[in-house]
Amino acid sequence: MELCKFLVRATFVILASVFGVLQGQPLVLKDLHTLYRWSNLSLGDDQAKGNRFLPVDVDIEYGDEGRHRTFLTIPRLSMTTPFTLATVIADDNEVVENPRLEPYPSEEWHVPPNNCSGITSAIRTYIDECWRLWVVDSGQVNSLQLCPPQILTFDLVKDELVQRHSLPPNSYNPSVSIFTALVVDLPDSGTPNRCLGGKAYIADAWGYGLIVFDSLTGRSWRIEHEFMKPSTVPELVRSGSSQAGIFTVSLSPSEMEDRFLYFHTLNAFNEVKVPLSLINNETFWHSPNVTDVTGDFRILGTRGIQCESEVMDQSGNLFCSLISLGALISWDGKSKYTADDIQVVAFNPQKIKFVTGLKINRNSKGEEELWALSSEPRLFVGAALPEKEVKFQIIGCRTADLLANTPCTVGARNTTSA
């Protein structure tokens, strides 16, 4: 996967800049909770033995009394990958080491991989407040575009498909577009048919654009801007960190009157915000004035370091993982955006490695929890690791514990971190 190789090449540039944001902050080890870890990720198919399975996204669904269900996306790197959207088998919910996985919503959805009425290659997920799972299917197998990318929405109560939207040809670049982030915004509470609607925002890192899908109208449109293209910082270009564009998407809290969409490119030190009202105006993005948005896309400032996945909580705190540096940082959206205003909220090189999926989910008590899929980065360049070495792990912590620097707790376990 080109994205994986790029991220590893970028690491040494990040190491050179890390002291700009971490200098003067004590790096105290934070023991995040480990929900699951895999030294051997098996999809239970004898024909697929020896294949590389590289999960990239994670989501946690909470039910009553702490019941939880974990979702993983495993983009297809070959035709023999048996399934690409998975859940941890219910019987293994309490198993930390190598829990078994099963296809979601059923095995029939995943075979054969060139059946465009099923799921070709799931890459991103999002669970909304209406018990729906949104899935972005790239339609690719190892960069071969077999089917159009699609957005699928499943009812998590019935585990049934409720909506499918195939992206129109002008919304993506076949075999090029790589979707690196998904966030969904619902209409305000109390809005009629609230759970029938919602807008999905999808980052296309290699296509240098943002895709917006309005589920109520069934329409989608594409947005492009100079700030969504790779940075031209000389040091980053020389390092080979010049390919990926917009890598993240996050939204300001729903109760705010003036709302914004935040993003950054993977190799940039800057964070960008744009009014959500502009992003949602489909008519504008089809008009001749589409290039006249210079003042609407605003660079907030610089953090002095690269970060990868980001997510914002309902209090306006933006969390981001630092590539291969074992740290999570946070920024309060009400403050300035400088290195001095960014705080390290977790440092743990053994657990925070290569974070490809970062989510905030609400547990059964309504508390916000941050969950990350952390992987050993050597896997993404084809390295063979010792059999018993941990390759992937799902780690989490209540956001309140991160911000207050208290021991990590999560609703999926009634104990502190493990």
Side-chain angles (χ1 to χ4, degrees), residues 338-350:
T338 68
D340 291 336
D341 298 296
I342 294 171
Q343 300 298 315
V344 178
V345 293
F347 175 71
N348 192 322
Q350 294 302 312

Side-chain angles (χ1 to χ4, degrees), residues 14-320:
I14 302 166
L15 288 170
S17 62
V18 63
F19 299 104
V21 68
L22 302 186
Q23 189 173 18
Q25 296 190 38
L27 297 181
V28 179
L29 193 68
K30 184 78 169 179
D31 194 10
L32 291 93
H33 180 86
T34 299
L35 186 64
Y36 303 117
R37 52 178 166 249
W38 287 270
S39 57
N40 176 26
L41 185 66
S42 171
L43 301 190
D45 190 306
D46 292 338
Q47 293 181 345
K49 284 184 177 178
N51 283 2
R52 289 190 304 135
F53 303 132
L54 300 177
V56 299
D57 207 3
V58 63
D59 249 310
I60 308 292
E61 174 209 8
Y62 275 103
D64 298 329
E65 300 177 351
R67 179 186 63 83
H68 69 280
R69 184 161 53 163
T70 302
F71 293 86
L72 286 171
T73 63
I74 308 170
R76 277 192 165 105
L77 300 180
S78 73
M79 296 290 190
T80 57
T81 302
F83 52 90
T84 176
L85 177 60
T87 58
V88 171
I89 291 176
D91 288 345
D92 284 6
N93 254 5
E94 304 302 316
V95 176
V96 176
E97 304 286 345
N98 296 317
R100 294 168 296 169
L101 300 176
E102 62 183 357
Y104 183 88
S106 67
E107 184 177 356
E108 289 72 25
W109 272 87
H110 298 266
V111 289
N114 59 347
N115 174 12
C116 297
S117 62
I119 301 175
T120 303
S121 189
I123 190 167
R124 294 292 154 190
T125 60
Y126 187 93
I127 295 175
D128 68 20
E129 297 176 7
C130 295
W131 300 83
R132 294 179 299 181
L133 175 71
W134 301 63
V135 181
V136 175
D137 175 4
S138 71
Q140 296 180 18
V141 176
N142 200 20
S143 299
L144 179 64
Q145 196 76 50
L146 299 179
C147 300
Q150 59 181 343
I151 303 166
L152 304 168
T153 311
F154 292 95
D155 180 336
L156 286 174
V157 177
K158 299 179 180 179
D159 291 327
E160 295 177 351
L161 181 72
V162 293
Q163 190 172 23
R164 181 198 301 267
H165 175 75
S166 294
L167 294 184
N170 61 353
S171 290
Y172 69 99
N173 297 314
S175 299
V176 174
S177 291
I178 296 179
F179 307 113
T180 51
L182 164 68
V183 66
V184 174
D185 189 41
L186 298 183
D188 294 337
S189 298
T191 302
N193 300 321
R194 179 176 188 249
C195 289
L196 296 178
K199 290 185 175 68
Y201 307 90
I202 304 165
D204 179 1
W206 250 239
Y208 311 152
L210 175 75
I211 297 166
V212 183
F213 168 57
D214 186 337
S215 67
L216 197 59
T217 64
R219 297 174 59 85
S220 62
W221 57 96
R222 183 179 178 87
I223 295 170
E224 295 183 357
H225 187 269
E226 284 298 310
F227 290 165
M228 296 179 182
K229 296 179 180 179
S231 171
T232 56
V233 176
E235 291 79 5
L236 299 172
V237 173
R238 286 197 297 269
S239 77
S241 305
S242 58
Q243 298 178 20
I246 177 175
F247 194 74
T248 64
V249 186
S250 55
L251 302 176
S252 55
S254 56
E255 59 268 15
M256 292 184 63
E257 183 175 353
D258 296 321
R259 302 189 62 203
F260 296 92
L261 180 142
Y262 297 89
F263 69 89
H264 64 260
T265 60
L266 185 61
N267 68 352
F269 298 158
N270 300 327
E271 191 73 22
V272 180
K273 78 172 184 178
V274 57
L276 193 58
S277 57
L278 177 64
I279 295 294
N280 289 341
N281 188 343
E282 180 188 3
T283 303
F284 174 79
W285 295 105
H286 292 305
S287 73
N289 301 322
V290 69
T291 57
D292 188 23
V293 291
T294 304
D296 294 292
F297 283 74
R298 177 186 167 197
I299 295 178
L300 295 175
T302 180
R303 58 187 161 267
I305 192 172
Q306 293 169 260
C307 65
E308 46 189 354
S309 303
E310 74 175 29
V311 64
M312 179 169 272
D313 68 14
Q314 282 301 302
S315 298
N317 298 297
L318 187 66
F319 297 88
C320 198

